[in-house]
Amino acid sequence: MRIFDPHIHMTSRTTDDYEAMFAAGVRAIVEPAFWLGQPRTTVGSFKDYFDALIGWERFRAAQFGIRHHCTIALNPKEANDPRCTPVLDILPRYLAKDGVVAVGEVGYDSMTPEEDDAFARQLAMAVEHELPALVHTPHRDKLAGTRRTLDVLKESGIAPEAVAVDHLNEVTVELVKDSGCWLGFSIYPDTKMDEDRMVAILKQFGTDKVLVNSAADWGRSDPLKTYKTARRMLEAGFTESDVDKVLWRNPVDFYGQSGRLVLDELPGFAPSAETFAGNSVLRGGRR
Amino acid sequence: MSFSLGYGTNGFANHRLDDALRMIADLGYTSVALTLDHHHLDPYAAGVSGETTRVAHLLSSLGLRCVVETGARYLLDPTRKHHPTLVSDDTDVRIDFLHRAIRIAADLGADCVSFWSGIKPSDVDDTTARRRMLDGVGKVLVEADRRQVRIGLEPEPGMFVQHLAQAIALRDELGKPELLGITLDVGHCVAVEPMDAAECVRHAAGLLVNVQLDDMRLGMHEHLEFGEGELDLPGTLAALAEVGYTGVAAVELPRHSHAAPDVARRAIEALTAALPVLPAEVEPVGDVDNPWLADAERRVRAEPTAIRALFPAVGRKVGREALRPDTDPQGLVHGTVDDLARQRLLAALAAVLPPTRLAEEVTELYRYGDDAERRGVLRGLASLPLSAVDAGLELVQDALRTNDIRLVAAALGPFAGEHLDQHSWRHGVLKCLFVGVPLAAVADTDRRADAELLRMVADYADERRAAGRAVPADAVSLLETS
């Protein structure tokens, strides 16, 4: 089983996670730029974060046989902080990078005028840089927020097939499916979606344009939720090909629109490799 | 090749400018030294601005870099050759001309404007001439600064400033302005300098903004075709490559216009035959010589800030393979195809930006770069002029603080070998052993490995053994061979 996690915040995860992910079949990931839990106070702080996403984290993932890509954006929560909004001016520089496969996460948190502005400007950047957009939907007031999101997307002129609307659930799935956008689902231990509900949605709405992610970050979350969902799909009678479509081909098709996905195997990682022998942890010397 | 071979339009004085430029490009030259003259982009003509734009487009379409030369004979005074000068009574005319030349150079995207002092009139004493020279160059620098165009003072036999040492002393006296460099005519070195042309090149290295190529005999200021005089052409070109000169080196044969097409053809044949054979490491790889890169280099020369969008796109356009995948699969030692392409873009940038802006732009490319771009900058540092050393060292230090082995490897190339302080260099080498960068990636280990480094490596080996771990082979061989 090969897995592409289209949304995971590896910056917050350990090397144990990387090892477990590789062992479970994860070979490619996309790390969207988002909030860090601790609010940022300067543009420099974003710059360092973006630099890590296009450099250090990409390198770290490669040490474990996993191809890392990212999306770059000012997230909706921090779009409300005037100390952070000037970051919008430096985004174009990052959107030109090899490892950047979409603009994101953009969208709404509290649906303020500031969020409107940042959302619209960044959708325009996505169009200009010919990149897809990864759109976060709010956790509070989700249905209204998702409706408003779809309205803004329509106004922006971005093609629906170039947009993934994320963190969907039973309440919002139909709305987004009708819009023509890709459908993102985050599988979490407690909140958002779980594996069984995901399988139910797949049964009802099919596998087309569905993206399943772990959205694992610094909170209580599980980087193996993609794998666990895949297992549950097989148990529920989906075929290997269905699983491959949802957990590999779909994210490849979506982010592949950037023209920047690099998915060939990393040197030194045979397809069947189950250990990481010979790989340096790069700290305190090689074993 | 690091520098660009060109031909001077003053050697095509009987040709229309457009014809001359086309012939120069057709013969295989990649640059031109454009002498502003009454029939070649006359700076006093009514439509000079439109003409400059037109010539700029022509140069760009022919793929020619350019430098502006100001040695026209009867442009300012139809009765007296080269008159007035920076040391004659009426220096204002010359200063105004040089200002015009600077504006034209800015509009052409030229590397620099070359100028000389002039012959000291018999009734002017040395003190007065020196003062006039300092004042005049000071005024020229004001316009140069405004337009961010470099100017090159050319020592010219028989003139007030005729030796390289005098030109450098004058620059020192002016406070070493960044935009004031040296134009060196290698034939002049043969004729009047106390050292040979190759030595002069090494001596002027970091200050060179323009080079003129011709042969000459000892003590005789007569521009000759290559082989007719005493110039060591291969040795001189090798010295230019050795000091990392990346500017224009153009043939200067102003008295051969009557036979220009043949003379220019013979010159490029002689130059091509005399060019140094570059070491394998810097030989262009087939994949890198692709049309996208050639076009990107042209765009950077025409509009330096274009590099900001081109630099990140390199991997997507030329590939990312290791240069020697068989022995160096990760490209840690020899780098990758995209590394090499980025080095080429940096060299193009260095050729057109004045020192301060170059240092800023290179720093920005690194700061905003992803890992691959940072690697490209680090590997390109060695080919930048000496004025970029301080900025380069900061980037090397930054890279050595990371744990990304590709950055660490790229940071310890020839630039660090040449310029990094000993303490940082030793820690860089030790870091390579720690993180698994082959020491083959480190330049100058033979020359720089000292007793303190060996002590550090020996202690590291002891620590490994105490922990029951293997000692890296590179550490063992370093300890054994030193």
Side-chain angles (χ1 to χ4, degrees):
Chain A
M1 184 186 298
R2 54 179 182 172
I3 295 173
F4 185 136
D5 191 337
H7 182 153
I8 183 165
H9 302 282
M10 292 311 296
T11 303
S12 309
R13 310 302 306 191
T14 65
T15 54
D16 282 356
D17 288 337
Y18 269 127
E19 292 190 357
M21 287 160 67
F22 184 89
V26 177
R27 292 294 179 273
I29 53 178
V30 167
E31 174 155 13
F34 201 60
W35 190 48
L36 278 180
Q38 168 68 35
R40 278 167 281 224
T41 58
T42 66
V43 171
S45 180
F46 276 94
K47 238 177 124 272
D48 294 339
Y49 175 62
F50 294 157
D51 285 345
L53 293 186
I54 61 173
W56 172 241
E57 201 57 46
R58 196 167 162 79
F59 171 71
R60 213 166 70 100
Q63 300 308 296
F64 298 92
I66 295 176
R67 289 286 186 186
H68 180 283
H69 306 82
C70 69
T71 76
I72 292 284
L74 169 62
N75 63 77
K77 195 186 285 272
E78 286 172 308
N80 293 301
D81 188 333
R83 294 172 301 181
C84 298
T85 46
V87 77
L88 291 169
D89 298 329
I90 62 165
L91 292 184
R93 235 172 147 146
Y94 287 96
L95 296 180
K97 303 301 177 197
D98 263 359
V100 178
V101 292
V103 174
E105 299 179 56
V106 292
Y108 285 114
D109 179 59
S110 306
M111 289 180 274
T112 63
E114 289 79 9
E115 291 174 25
D116 281 331
D117 181 56
F119 190 13
R121 279 180 69 185
Q122 295 185 98
L123 287 173
M125 287 184 205
V127 172
E128 189 192 332
H129 287 83
E130 299 178 350
L131 287 173
L134 179 64
V135 180
H136 164 98
T137 50
H139 303 307
R140 305 177 304 279
D141 200 8
K142 192 178 255 315
L143 183 58
T146 305
R147 284 207 184 95
R148 184 153 157 190
T149 298
L150 294 176
D151 288 344
V152 173
L153 286 170
K154 209 166 190 176
E155 273 171 37
S156 77
I158 193 169
E161 56 273 19
V163 177
V165 182
D166 211 351
H167 313 313
L168 301 183
N169 58 21
E170 292 83 353
V171 179
T172 51
V173 54
E174 194 154 8
L175 198 61
V176 178
K177 189 170 173 67
D178 290 345
S179 77
C181 295
W182 291 73
L183 314 168
F185 297 90
S186 302
I187 317 300
Y188 255 42
D190 308 310
T191 59
K192 301 187 173 106
M193 291 290 293
D194 66 29
E195 297 94 311
D196 290 328
R197 288 163 54 209
M198 188 67 235
V199 167
I201 284 182
L202 284 164
K203 278 187 176 159
Q204 189 180 346
F205 293 93
T207 53
D208 284 353
K209 286 193 168 181
V210 171
L211 305 169
V212 170
N213 63 68
S214 73
D217 58 10
W218 32 260
R220 187 148 184 272
S221 49
D222 177 357
L224 299 183
K225 281 295 185 191
T226 47
Y227 170 74
K228 290 173 183 170
T229 303
R231 298 290 333 160
R232 203 62 58 87
M233 281 176 73
L234 291 173
E235 286 159 21
F238 282 98
T239 64
E240 295 271 356
S241 173
D242 292 332
V243 170
D244 190 62
K245 178 180 176 187
V246 172
L247 287 151
W248 186 267
R249 299 198 305 272
N250 280 354
V252 168
D253 286 348
F254 175 66
Y255 288 117
Q257 297 178 80
S258 69
R260 299 185 193 168
L261 280 185
V262 178
L263 295 172
D264 48 322
E265 193 180 289
L266 282 150
F269 289 89
S272 60
E274 283 168 9
T275 67
F276 301 89
N279 276 283
S280 166
V281 292
L282 304 182
R283 187 180 292 130
R286 292 170 299 175
R287 275 189 287 263
Chain B
M1 195 186 61
S2 50
F3 49 91
S4 165
L5 291 176
Y7 203 89
T9 56
N10 59 356
F12 275 83
N14 304 331
H15 282 75
R16 290 183 199 93
L17 180 60
D18 292 15
D19 290 342
L21 296 179
R22 288 201 177 89
M23 294 190 68
I24 289 168
D26 285 349
L27 284 168
Y29 293 98
T30 54
S31 58
V32 63
L34 205 173
T35 298
L36 304 180
D37 210 336
H38 55 86
H39 60 311
H40 284 172
L41 193 47
D42 181 356
Y44 299 97
V48 60
S49 144
E51 176 67 359
T52 305
T53 309
R54 196 190 62 76
V55 172
H57 284 139
L58 181 58
L59 288 171
S60 162
S61 71
L62 294 172
L64 289 175
R65 271 171 80 175
C66 108
V67 294
V68 168
E69 297 277 356
T70 58
R73 294 188 179 107
Y74 294 103
L75 181 63
L76 307 187
D77 182 339
T79 62
R80 297 172 68 189
K81 182 179 149 187
H82 290 161
H83 201 73
T85 72
L86 286 172
V87 292
S88 57
D89 292 338
D90 37 7
T91 57
D92 287 353
V93 179
R94 173 66 51 176
I95 291 166
D96 171 66
F97 168 51
L98 293 175
H99 283 183
R100 288 168 191 255
I102 285 167
R103 294 194 284 273
I104 289 172
D107 292 344
L108 289 178
D111 285 16
C112 66
V113 171
S114 271
F115 68 105
W116 33 237
S117 57
I119 296 170
K120 181 170 70 80
S122 52
D123 57 348
V124 173
D125 59 40
D126 274 5
T127 316
T128 309
R130 185 155 201 87
R131 185 176 44 72
R132 283 180 182 171
M133 195 61 200
L134 291 169
D135 286 353
V137 176
K139 286 175 184 165
V140 174
L141 276 167
V142 173
E143 188 68 14
D145 192 50
R146 187 176 300 149
R147 306 284 169 168
Q148 285 294 297
V149 170
R150 288 186 288 192
I151 56 174
L153 174 57
E154 180 191 3
E156 181 85 20
M159 292 196 175
F160 178 64
V161 175
Q162 67 167 333
H163 291 295
L164 177 58
Q166 291 171 315
I168 293 175
L170 192 113
R171 182 177 184 274
D172 289 349
E173 204 166 332
L174 282 163
K176 303 182 180 178
E178 275 199 0
L179 289 170
L180 176 58
I182 300 289
T183 293
L184 188 72
D185 184 316
V186 299
H188 295 169
C189 301
V190 177
V192 301
E193 293 290 351
M195 46 195 169
D196 68 15
E199 256 329 285
C200 288
V201 165
R202 290 187 193 99
H203 194 63
L207 299 176
L208 284 181
V209 294
N210 183 20
V211 170
Q212 298 172 353
L213 301 171
D214 49 84
D215 209 336
M216 243 173 242
R217 294 195 191 95
L218 195 66
M220 301 248 303
H221 183 198
E222 187 189 353
H223 290 251
L224 301 172
E225 291 187 54
F226 299 117
E228 294 182 351
E230 290 150 28
L231 176 77
D232 172 10
L233 185 59
T236 306
L237 297 180
L240 286 171
E242 170 198 321
V243 303
Y245 179 66
T246 55
V248 169
V251 177
E252 174 86 350
L253 289 170
R255 292 173 186 243
H256 291 70
S257 291
H258 61 93
D262 288 337
V263 175
R265 184 182 42 74
R266 285 199 293 271
I268 192 135
E269 286 167 3
L271 287 167
T272 312
L275 275 180
V277 178
L278 299 174
E281 282 83 353
V282 291
E283 229 164 28
V285 166
D287 285 349
V288 175
D289 269 326
N290 72 8
W292 181 86
L293 180 61
D295 182 56
E297 289 177 294
R298 271 194 295 277
R299 284 173 60 193
V300 169
R301 283 198 289 270
E303 177 50 57
T305 53
I307 200 170
R308 295 174 193 173
L310 294 167
F311 216 61
V314 166
R316 302 196 283 276
K317 300 294 184 181
V318 307
R320 306 179 178 91
E321 308 79 38
L323 284 179
R324 313 265 176 87
D326 295 343
T327 55
D328 178 32
Q330 297 189 76
L332 292 174
V333 178
H334 302 290
T336 57
V337 174
D338 50 325
D339 287 352
L340 193 57
R342 288 194 174 94
Q343 286 169 250
R344 294 251 302 258
L345 291 183
L346 282 183
L349 187 73
V352 291
L353 281 192
T356 312
R357 279 193 52 206
L358 176 64
E360 285 168 5
E361 192 67 42
V362 169
T363 301
E364 290 269 288
L365 286 173
Y366 180 92
R367 296 283 175 215
Y368 280 100
D370 64 12
D371 46 348
E373 292 169 70
R374 291 182 172 198
R375 238 168 41 219
V377 169
L378 292 167
R379 290 191 187 276
L381 290 176
S383 56
L384 299 184
L386 289 173
S387 54
V389 166
D390 288 347
L393 282 173
E394 281 187 32
L395 304 184
V396 166
Q397 297 276 16
D398 182 87
L400 289 177
R401 283 191 291 269
T402 71
N403 265 15
D404 184 332
I405 54 175
R406 294 162 309 177
L407 291 178
V408 172
L412 287 171
F415 176 84
E418 186 68 29
H419 301 291
L420 188 63
D421 68 276
Q422 190 66 12
H423 177 86
S424 306
W425 185 82
R426 283 189 210 110
H427 276 269
V429 174
L430 194 57
K431 183 156 193 168
C432 287
L433 295 174
F434 259 74
V435 300
V437 171
L439 287 193
V442 181
D444 286 333
T445 37
D446 290 349
R447 186 172 62 78
R448 295 200 63 171
D450 58 6
E452 176 63 2
L453 175 69
L454 295 178
R455 187 215 38 90
M456 290 161 71
V457 174
D459 283 358
Y460 169 61
D462 288 345
E463 195 184 330
R464 298 281 304 179
R465 287 190 201 99
R469 291 172 167 171
V471 178
D474 268 351
V476 174
S477 64
L478 186 68
L479 291 170
E480 278 172 358
T481 56
S482 301

